């Protein structure tokens, strides 16, 4: 059942995904292992592993009614496998859309998981923006528009 609330949630998660799709489409495989120099940081691929894992884990928890643990289909993918990263981003969003198709807006736990997922998606956007600037990786045009980033 789609309500104004679930419709808005669906649109916001779709937009978050479009930004990830744009990023992984132009991100060179050689950048997936990149970390911010002289700062404690994970690799870009691990940031994306966390995004995919949250999509998979939050929707699993919502369906089960309780947290089932964190796992990502990118957990064992070798660093630099851009095709696997792109496929996981695509497939995990498809799973989110399927979850939203059956989301009961009266199910407070499931709805909270969906909102937690949206928060998680945008937190990683912010982290990845720092990576893109810090590593001198061009920001996709969609990211520049969405977050009013400097195009240099």
């Amino acid at each position: 059942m789609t309500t104004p609330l679930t419709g808005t949630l669906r649109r916001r998660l779709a937009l978050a995904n479009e930004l990830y799709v744009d990023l992984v489409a132009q991100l060179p495989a050689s950048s997936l292992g990149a970390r911010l120099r002289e700062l404690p940081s994970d690799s870009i691929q691990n940031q994306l592993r966390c995004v995919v894992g949250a999509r998979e884990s939050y929707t699993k928890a919502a369906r089960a009614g309780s947290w089932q643990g964190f796992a990502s289909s990118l957990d064992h993918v070798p660093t630099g496998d851009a095709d696997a990263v792109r496929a996981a981003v695509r497939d995990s969003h498809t799973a989110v859309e399927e979850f939203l198709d059956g989301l009961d807006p009266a199910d407070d736990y499931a709805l909270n998981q969906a909102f937690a997922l949206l928060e998680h998606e945008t937190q990683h956007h912010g982290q990845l923006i720092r990576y893109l600037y810090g590593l001198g990786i061009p920001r996709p045009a969609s990211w520049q528009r969405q977050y009013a980033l400097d195009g240099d």
Side-chain angles (χ1 to χ4, degrees):
M1 170 181 172
T2 300
T3 66
L5 178 66
T6 58
T8 298
L9 188 55
R10 177 182 293 279
R11 286 187 299 279
R12 297 299 301 177
L13 284 164
L15 174 60
N17 183 64
E18 287 174 27
L19 295 171
Y20 285 117
V21 167
D22 290 348
L23 176 65
V24 299
Q26 80 172 47
L27 195 63
S30 60
S31 294
L32 288 171
R35 299 171 184 265
L36 292 171
R37 297 180 273 290
E38 300 175 20
L39 295 171
S41 65
D42 264 328
S43 67
I44 291 175
Q45 182 164 324
N46 201 50
Q47 292 284 324
L48 295 167
R49 180 199 68 82
C50 190
V51 168
V52 168
R55 291 172 174 186
E56 295 166 348
S57 301
Y58 288 25
T59 56
K60 183 177 181 180
R63 286 186 177 110
S66 66
W67 188 248
Q68 304 296 299
F70 182 91
S72 174
S73 58
L74 288 175
D75 281 342
H76 304 292
V77 170
T79 300
D81 188 341
D83 290 336
V85 170
R86 288 181 191 110
V89 167
R90 180 193 63 238
D91 295 346
S92 63
H93 183 68
T94 298
V96 168
E97 287 179 324
E98 291 169 358
F99 160 69
L100 293 171
D101 286 343
L103 179 61
D104 177 357
D107 182 340
D108 192 52
Y109 184 78
L111 195 57
N112 276 313
Q113 291 300 305
F115 275 105
L117 177 59
L118 179 58
E119 290 171 357
H120 186 265
E121 297 262 313
T122 54
Q123 287 173 350
H124 275 286
H125 283 167
Q127 290 173 327
L128 285 164
I129 288 167
R130 296 304 334 145
Y131 278 70
L132 298 175
Y133 275 115
L135 297 169
I137 298 170
R139 276 89 47 214
S142 59
W143 288 60
Q144 290 176 201
R145 281 189 308 274
Q146 179 66 23
Y147 293 113
L149 303 178
D150 182 5
D152 297 335

